[in-house]
Amino acid sequence: MTAILERLRKNDRAAIFSRCKQKELKKGEIIFNEGSDAESLYFILKGEIRIFKNIGLDKEITIFTRTKNDAFGEIGIFSGTRYSNTAVAAKSSQVQCIDKHTMENIIAQNGEIGLHFTRWVAESLEASKAKMRDYIAFGSEGAVASVFIRFSNMYGIVTPRGIRIKQQIRLSDVSKHLGISRETVSRIVNKWKEDGIIQSENKFFLIANIAYLQNLLACNHCALENCTL
């Protein structure tokens, strides 16, 4: 999915940034908590932000991750008075922060910016809905397959042996994405290794049989264009 800042014209970005405050975030720093007042929208200049929801004692499910040139906090800003999820810096990050009412005024005065935000939010909701479908409708194996497919779409390189994923995948991170135990993820991944579906070396994975993972999720019937995390 195209990041929101990449959709905007240079002068529109400048108009927004002129009303922002810059913040430096350390890895692990909480930006806002689920249920807190939705006061700001955040634009990412560098780093990575993880948006998640608590679903029980020590259990989380990742709603999405956002990186450079994207934004977060939009659900609380555009559809309610409180944030519906928690945001944490997955890496050391730098963001621009704009007040809710200021952003609303900019959108009200500039229809083109408003149209870009409308499309961005709609695509984001569609992508999140598809992820939740994968995670819930196809069991634990389907859920893990969904994460690996999305990693391959974001970081994969096609090789004669299969799709090599350039980004390291930690099983603990996969379990956080899905809200299932690390042991369950490990059992599924080990089975795939035994069956020759995937290979791994130092947390770098190669998907040797992407068709198997796609069949688990009925990908041939999916119209989603932005199948990412």
Side-chain angles (χ1 to χ4, degrees):
M1 188 174 79
T2 304
I4 183 60
L5 291 178
E6 294 173 1
R7 299 169 187 247
L8 302 178
R9 293 186 299 178
K10 184 177 180 179
N11 60 319
D12 289 334
R13 293 197 301 269
I16 292 173
F17 285 166
S18 69
R19 310 294 294 277
C20 289
K21 295 181 180 179
Q22 188 164 302
K23 291 187 176 183
E24 302 288 336
L25 302 171
K26 297 179 180 179
K27 180 179 179 180
E29 183 173 346
I30 298 292
I31 301 100
F32 55 75
N33 285 294
E34 180 179 353
S36 60
D37 290 339
E39 299 175 340
S40 303
L41 180 69
Y42 300 83
F43 298 94
I44 306 169
L45 301 183
K46 68 176 183 179
E48 181 178 306
I49 306 298
R50 174 176 170 253
I51 310 298
F52 68 92
K53 181 178 284 290
N54 289 303
I55 58 173
L57 185 62
D58 296 326
K59 291 187 70 177
E60 302 168 355
I61 184 169
T62 299
I63 307 302
F64 50 75
T65 58
R66 295 270 169 84
T67 55
K68 182 180 178 181
N69 289 332
D70 226 332
F72 61 97
E74 71 278 6
I75 300 302
I77 293 297
F78 297 129
S79 67
T81 59
R82 298 181 183 278
Y83 293 115
S84 57
N85 304 300
T86 298
V88 62
K91 300 178 180 178
S92 295
S93 302
Q94 184 182 83
V95 300
Q96 292 274 14
C97 171
I98 189 168
D99 173 79
K100 172 180 182 177
H101 299 296
T102 302
M103 191 69 235
E104 288 176 345
N105 289 334
I106 291 174
I107 289 175
Q109 295 167 15
N110 189 315
E112 185 176 347
I113 291 178
L115 180 60
H116 284 305
F117 268 94
T118 299
R119 288 174 174 167
W120 174 69
V121 170
E123 290 174 17
S124 176
L125 290 173
E126 187 67 21
S128 295
K129 183 178 72 173
K131 275 203 299 186
M132 294 305 106
R133 181 209 65 163
D134 290 351
Y135 295 175
I136 295 170
F138 296 101
S140 296
E141 186 178 17
V144 177
S146 177
V147 173
F148 272 79
I149 288 173
R150 292 167 190 275
F151 264 108
S152 74
N153 290 338
M154 296 169 69
Y155 306 110
I157 298 176
V158 177
T159 74
R161 297 170 55 213
I163 300 175
R164 177 172 174 77
I165 300 174
K166 296 182 293 180
Q167 178 87 354
Q168 284 190 332
I169 301 178
R170 294 177 174 82
L171 300 189
S172 58
D173 291 337
V174 176
S175 71
K176 286 182 179 180
H177 270 288
L178 302 173
I180 61 178
S181 70
R182 188 189 183 284
E183 289 73 22
T184 298
V185 175
S186 180
R187 174 176 53 80
I188 292 168
V189 169
N190 286 335
K191 176 180 178 295
W192 289 348
K193 289 179 181 178
E194 293 173 2
D195 294 342
I197 296 164
I198 65 172
Q199 303 169 18
S200 69
E201 183 177 344
N202 296 326
K203 299 185 177 67
F204 287 98
F205 284 86
L206 181 136
I207 303 177
N209 187 351
I210 189 70
Y212 176 86
L213 304 185
Q214 291 171 336
N215 288 337
L216 286 175
L217 302 170
C219 287
N220 58 317
H221 298 297
C222 179
L224 186 68
E225 296 181 3
N226 300 299
C227 186
T228 63
L229 293 169

